Amino acid sequence: MNQYETVFILTPVLSDVQMKETVAKFKKLLTDKGAEILNEEAWGLKKMAYAIQKKSTGFYCLLEFKAEPSVVNALEVGYRRDEKVIRFLTVKLDKYAAQYAEKRRNKLSKKEEA
């Protein structure tokens, strides 16, 4: 199994509930295909560097997971089919990026505990 990180931007016209439902849908898609979700971060509504589909903001979300390469194809097809997703990027993490992601997760969990 490889480790992946995916970031996707959802359209800003969604309500908070709709945004969470969409993220849950993609998490369910991953787990149904046998992926192990390591981390989920909702970065919230952010201003984009340039307008996409005449929208200058979007809901950013990050998912880290371990899965087989075929799962990534299914996930990206799901992104393309959902009109709520403006942009997405999925990256396979090498061992150094995976170590960095582990450190970042540990740092975030310590902040949440405090």
Side-chain angles (χ1 to χ4, degrees):
M1 276 212 217
N2 297 325
Q3 189 167 337
Y4 296 94
E5 185 175 85
T6 185
V7 176
F8 54 97
I9 306 171
L10 300 173
T11 183
V13 298
L14 299 175
S15 70
D16 200 38
V17 174
Q18 290 173 318
M19 190 263 303
K20 288 179 181 172
E21 286 174 354
T22 306
V23 172
K25 179 180 93 170
F26 290 122
K27 283 175 57 177
K28 183 179 181 326
L29 187 142
L30 285 170
T31 53
D32 288 349
K33 298 281 184 182
E36 174 192 349
I37 296 178
L38 303 174
N39 187 27
E40 172 194 359
E41 295 176 25
W43 295 341
L45 190 65
K46 300 250 184 223
K47 185 166 174 31
M48 294 187 277
Y50 55 91
I52 302 172
Q53 299 173 4
K54 298 183 181 176
K55 295 172 178 70
S56 60
T57 59
F59 287 106
Y60 282 67
C61 194
L62 171 126
L63 292 174
E64 279 181 58
F65 59 96
K66 284 186 178 181
E68 298 298 326
S70 61
V71 175
V72 175
N73 291 337
L75 177 67
E76 290 188 349
V77 166
Y79 286 151
R80 287 187 187 98
R81 287 184 178 163
D82 195 332
E83 71 264 357
K84 298 172 192 160
V85 177
I86 299 175
R87 282 282 193 277
F88 63 89
L89 180 68
T90 305
V91 179
K92 178 182 171 190
L93 301 179
D94 62 4
K95 67 179 184 177
Y96 303 109
Q99 289 171 352
Y100 175 76
E102 180 87 28
K103 286 180 190 175
R104 198 176 92 245
R105 277 197 307 269
N106 291 337
K107 190 183 286 187
L108 285 174
S109 66
K110 287 177 184 173
K111 278 186 182 178
E112 289 174 1
E113 290 172 2

